[in-house]
């Protein structure tokens, strides 16, 4: 009963606010949805203690779903350690986002619709993480895609919001196509999409091939790559990342929910959940590692020059997801989930903190128009500072630190222990850590320090956020400080094997966690040095010598513009896909619809209508007109008969 309550309470809230929001009013809609999420979060922590630390696996069948031939699947909830971790992450962050939204959205007239979308989003994610088969996982997968479309485009009167929502929807469909093909392939090979059945049968397919597009390809590797294609789209990995920064057009609480706990972490969760398949496909894991490494580096470089406070944090999310996939690619699934867990707290804290800044600055998001705010909004300043300390990995090497120090540094250490070619994964992640530190402290310095660059009216009226917005910041700050050292021993430490025994799988040849304990001491100090270096460079650029950023941008203008334009990937896609699509559309519009349909079919119909129109004009309604026409017809008929009779007689003679 407790498991079904966790999953379906958000759905109940979404239905109440969505269907009856106009009847019960805005405030009751906020209270009902937030209260139900709070209950769901409390129950999730109970399950986390009972199941996560109890190392149990429970299954609850909700209903029979599809039975057709060999396909037999039920709607079931799978509750194990991995699920319990995700339940805590999703419901905790979502409930805090609901509470925060009460203050942030208080001026919006469509609050019932907004809270209905938030709760629907949460329900879809809960369906995804509790799935016991791939069809149910795909249902939740598409559910968060739909809800994200609704939330990103919530302010549908803004063209930018509509464009961003459509972009997120379309780009994710590309990844979802691969995910769907992977599910089809699993059923084709193993005659089942139930997780336990697939996991049990997967070893029998190792080394076997099947024909795909005219080629004989390795079964397990192909399936793993198709599944990972879905993860690339949902978790915004390189080439399928373009929707993520544009998602900032939605309200700030949406950004926190999408980028911290729900949609973007779905891909990492899926790879970890399907670890029994990925472990049997080492070549696929190489691809996962490479894409994750490239994404971490790419997003960090772009984050260096962004000026929108939310976009800086968005690219940080993209980069951190790359870290998580590197961990999955080298077989350190527990380390990846550990970083997912800690990342949810400090990234939600940063986004909600950014929302508090935007709220104080009357919806200003450009950091170039901020500065000097630490005395105006001190609580928000300290919350964002804590989030930055956690994100950049501040701590004492080999001892204690903020949340990101334990989880992100563990990924970097695992990357070294994996010994990728030339240790490219390790060195790239260290460089990305340096850039992460730079742009994170750049955000803090530009927003809170120095002389204000805002207009006097905006700055003078800047004020701290209401309690409904500050309470979530306080709770998330505790998580950003303590989530790392409190749970490290269970996620990746001495109790790791027992903690993940029933939910994550590693081959006998996978000794990555053991290898992490044998790394040189300097490896543990490398991310610390990178973090400190990034901080010092940011301090020099934005505190000590604030003229340096403009001078550097001028001196390296081609590189600066390259990064500012996000490696020109959007422009490349516009040239490769968008313009050809529009050209094809115009061809069928002008040539097909205009020339063929309008010119031929519609033209013929128009000609017939013109002729019949003239005939219709003869219908006057006067009897003597009709009698006159009939007499003319009779005369014409008699003339024809007389002529033909005379002609026939001459022929006979």
């Amino acid at each position: 009963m407790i498991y079904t309550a966790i999953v379906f309470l958000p759905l109940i809230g979404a239905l109440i606010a969505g269907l009856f929001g106009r009847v019960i009013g805005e405030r009751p809609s906020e209270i009902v949805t937030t209260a139900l999420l709070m209950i769901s979060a409390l129950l999730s922590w109970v399950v986390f203690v009972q199941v996560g630390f109890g190392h149990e696996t429970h299954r609850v069948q909700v209903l029979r779903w599809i039975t057709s031939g060999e396909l037999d699947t039920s709607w079931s909830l799978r509750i194990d350690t991995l699920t319990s971790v995700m339940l805590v992450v999703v419901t905790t962050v979502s409930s805090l986002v609901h509470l925060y939204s009460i203050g942030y959205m208080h001026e919006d007239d469509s609050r019932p619709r907004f809270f209905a979308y938030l709760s629907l989003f949460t329900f879809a994610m809960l369906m995804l993480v509790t799935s016991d088969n791939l069809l149910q996982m795909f249902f939740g997968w598409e559910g968060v895609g739909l809800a994200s479309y609704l939330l990103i485009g919530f302010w549908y009167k803004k063209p930018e919001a509509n464009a961003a929502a459509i972009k997120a929807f379309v780009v994710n469909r590309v990844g979802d196509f691969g995910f769907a093909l992977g599910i089809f392939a699993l059923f084709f090979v193993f005659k089942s999409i139930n997780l336990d059945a697939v996991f049990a049968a997967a070893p029998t397919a190792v080394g076997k091939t099947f024909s795909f597009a005219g080629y004989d390809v390795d079964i397990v590797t192909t399936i793993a790559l198709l599944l990972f294609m879905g993860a690339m789209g949902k978790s915004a990995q390189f080439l399928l990342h373009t929707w993520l920064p544009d998602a900032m057009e939605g309200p700030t609480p949406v950004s926190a929910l999408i980028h911290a706990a729900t949609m973007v972490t779905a891909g990492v969760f899926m790879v970890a959940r399907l670890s029994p398949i990925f472990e049997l496909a080492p070549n696929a894991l190489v691809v996962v590692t490479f894409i994750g490494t490239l994404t971490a580096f790419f997003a960090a470089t772009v984050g260096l020059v962004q000026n929108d406070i939310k976009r800086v944090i968005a690219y940080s999310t993209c980069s951190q997801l790359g870290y998580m996939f590197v961990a999955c690619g080298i077989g350190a699934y527990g380390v990846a989930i550990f970083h997912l867990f800690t990342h949810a707290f400090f990234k939600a804290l940063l986004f909600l903190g950014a929302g508090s800044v935007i709220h104080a600055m009357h919806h200003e998001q450009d950091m170039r128009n901020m500065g000097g705010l630490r005395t105006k909004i001190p609580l928000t300043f300290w919350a964002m500072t804590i989030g930055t300390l956690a994100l950049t990995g501040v701590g004492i090497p080999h001892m204690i630190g903020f949340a990101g120090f334990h989880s992100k540094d563990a990924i970097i250490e695992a990357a070294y222990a994996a010994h990728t070619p030339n240790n490219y994964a390790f060195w790239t992640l260290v460089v990305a850590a340096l850039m992460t530190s730079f742009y994170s402290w750049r955000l803090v310095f530009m927003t809170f320090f120095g002389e204000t660059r805002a207009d006097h009216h905006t700055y003078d009226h800047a004020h701290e956020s209401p309690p409904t917005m500050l309470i979530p910041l306080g709770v998330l700050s505790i998580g950003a400080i303590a989530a790392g050292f409190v749970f490290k021993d269970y996620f990746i430490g001495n109790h790791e094997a027992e903690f993940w025994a029933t939910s994550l799988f590693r081959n006998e040849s996978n000794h990555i966690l053991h290898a992490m304990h044998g790394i040189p001491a300097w490896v543990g100090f490398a991310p610390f040095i990178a973090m400190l270096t990034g901080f010092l460079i940011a301090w020099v650029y934005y505190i000590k010598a604030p003229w340096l950023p403009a001078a550097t941008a001028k001196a390296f203008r081609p590189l600066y513009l390259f990064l500012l334009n996000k490696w020109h990937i959007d422009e490349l896609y516009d040239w490769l896909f968008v313009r050809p699509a529009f050209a094809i559309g115009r061809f069928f519009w002008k040539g097909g619809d205009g020339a063929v349909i309008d010119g031929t079919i519609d033209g013929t119909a128009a000609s017939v209508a013109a002729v019949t129109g003239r005939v219709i004009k003869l219908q006057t309604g006067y009897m003597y007109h009709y009698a006159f026409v009939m007499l003319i017809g009779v005369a014409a008929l008699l003339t024809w008969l007389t002529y033909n009779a005379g002609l026939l007689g001459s022929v006979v003679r």
Side-chain angles (χ1 to χ4, degrees), residues 74-380:
S74 299
W75 194 339
S76 302
L77 307 181
R78 180 189 185 100
I79 311 295
D80 56 13
T81 301
L82 180 58
T83 304
S84 68
V85 171
M86 295 302 297
L87 289 178
V88 164
V89 168
V90 173
T91 58
T92 300
V93 174
S94 182
S95 60
L96 293 174
V97 168
H98 274 71
L99 178 60
Y100 180 93
S101 299
I102 293 176
Y104 190 86
M105 301 291 290
H106 73 282
E107 296 179 350
D108 199 291
D109 296 331
S110 302
R111 295 201 298 278
R113 178 167 62 92
F114 180 76
F115 280 85
Y117 290 168
L118 282 183
S119 292
L120 178 64
F121 198 122
T122 307
F123 165 72
M125 189 65 186
L126 292 174
M127 288 306 308
L128 193 159
V129 301
T130 58
S131 56
D132 195 35
N133 60 75
L134 288 162
L135 183 61
Q136 183 179 331
M137 185 181 291
F138 193 74
F139 170 81
W141 195 272
E142 294 303 305
V144 295
L146 169 64
S148 69
Y149 170 80
L150 296 173
L151 286 167
I152 295 169
F154 177 76
W155 287 320
Y156 56 85
K157 293 183 179 180
K158 291 176 56 180
E160 298 86 358
N162 289 326
I166 293 171
K167 188 175 183 179
F169 196 83
V170 171
V171 173
N172 271 277
R173 296 294 74 73
V174 176
D176 294 353
F177 178 69
F179 189 28
L181 287 179
I183 296 174
F184 297 155
L186 282 170
F187 182 75
F188 175 76
V189 174
F190 303 119
K191 309 305 179 185
S192 177
I193 55 173
N194 297 319
L195 294 181
D196 286 339
V198 170
F199 295 162
T204 63
V206 174
K208 296 182 179 179
T209 62
F210 67 89
S211 180
F212 181 76
Y215 296 93
D216 288 332
V217 294
D218 184 81
I219 290 176
V220 181
T221 300
T222 302
I223 291 174
L225 289 175
L226 289 172
L227 295 172
F228 178 61
M229 183 177 173
M232 287 178 63
K234 199 66 70 182
S235 293
Q237 293 301 282
F238 186 70
L239 298 181
L240 293 181
H241 68 280
T242 53
W243 66 270
L244 190 66
D246 289 359
M248 298 299 99
E249 292 296 336
T252 299
V254 173
S255 304
L257 195 59
I258 291 177
H259 293 75
T262 52
M263 185 170 172
V264 296
T265 61
V268 179
F269 164 80
M270 184 262 282
V271 173
R273 171 62 81 197
L274 301 181
S275 55
I277 296 174
F278 280 88
E279 278 291 273
L280 301 175
N283 291 332
L285 289 178
V286 171
V287 175
V288 174
T289 304
F290 176 76
I291 293 294
T293 304
L294 181 57
T295 304
F297 178 79
F298 156 77
T301 62
V302 177
L304 295 173
V305 297
Q306 296 300 304
N307 296 309
D308 186 306
I309 188 171
K310 289 171 63 176
R311 285 180 179 266
V312 174
I313 305 173
Y315 278 108
S316 167
T317 297
C318 191
S319 182
Q320 296 306 304
L321 289 166
Y323 277 82
M324 298 177 205
F325 277 111
V326 170
C328 289
I330 59 180
Y333 304 101
V335 179
I337 298 301
F338 184 36
H339 194 46
L340 184 156
F341 180 78
T342 61
H343 177 266
F345 291 103
F346 60 74
K347 189 51 62 68
L349 175 60
L350 286 170
F351 266 115
L352 296 185
S356 184
V357 172
I358 295 168
H359 180 268
M361 295 293 290
H362 301 282
H363 306 291
E364 176 62 67
Q365 296 183 196
D366 194 325
M367 296 185 299
R368 292 171 296 184
N369 298 325
M370 298 181 185
L373 289 176
R374 71 182 187 280
T375 57
K376 287 284 188 177
I377 46 175
L379 296 179
T380 299

Side-chain angles (χ1 to χ4, degrees), residues 373-585:
L373 289 176
R374 71 182 187 280
T375 57
K376 287 284 188 177
I377 46 175
L379 296 179
T380 299
F381 162 68
W382 283 112
M384 291 204 70
T385 300
I386 291 172
T388 302
L389 291 169
L391 170 62
T392 57
V394 174
I396 304 173
H398 305 294
M399 294 182 67
I400 195 171
F402 289 82
F405 166 79
H406 294 282
S407 57
K408 187 174 75 173
D409 287 19
I411 293 177
I412 295 175
E413 293 171 6
Y416 181 88
H419 296 298
T420 54
N422 298 315
N423 255 333
Y424 78 90
F426 167 75
W427 289 112
T428 304
L429 294 185
V430 169
V431 173
L434 187 153
M435 291 187 287
T436 300
S437 180
F438 174 82
Y439 66 66
S440 297
W441 289 111
R442 171 179 178 263
L443 183 153
V444 172
F445 294 148
M446 289 184 69
T447 304
F448 297 104
F449 287 82
E451 296 294 329
T452 183
R453 297 174 297 279
D455 63 84
H456 291 294
H457 176 78
T458 301
Y459 182 76
D460 292 341
H461 289 81
H463 56 85
E464 193 62 90
S465 299
T468 52
M469 295 173 64
L470 293 177
I471 291 173
L473 295 182
V475 175
L476 291 169
S477 295
I478 296 173
I481 294 171
F485 65 82
V486 169
F487 295 103
K488 178 181 179 180
D489 202 35
Y490 294 95
F491 280 80
I492 61 174
N494 297 328
H495 301 290
E496 179 271 339
E498 184 182 5
F499 187 73
W500 296 116
T502 60
S503 56
L504 296 180
F505 174 79
R506 291 200 306 270
N507 270 333
E508 294 181 357
S509 59
N510 186 338
H511 303 293
I512 186 65
L513 293 180
H514 177 73
M516 288 173 61
H517 297 296
I519 61 175
W522 67 267
V523 174
F525 283 91
F528 173 81
I529 295 172
M531 175 275 298
L532 190 59
T533 303
F535 168 79
L536 292 175
I537 296 174
W539 180 81
V540 170
Y541 265 65
Y542 294 95
I543 300 296
K544 184 68 174 177
W547 53 269
L548 269 176
T552 303
K554 183 177 180 180
F556 300 96
R557 187 162 182 78
L559 177 61
Y560 171 75
L561 293 177
F562 178 72
L563 299 181
L564 188 65
N565 288 286
K566 303 160 288 187
W567 291 24
H568 296 287
I569 292 177
D570 283 279
E571 290 81 0
L572 176 64
Y573 284 175
D574 181 69
W575 182 74
L576 286 176
F577 303 114
V578 178
R579 292 184 185 181
F582 274 102
I584 294 171

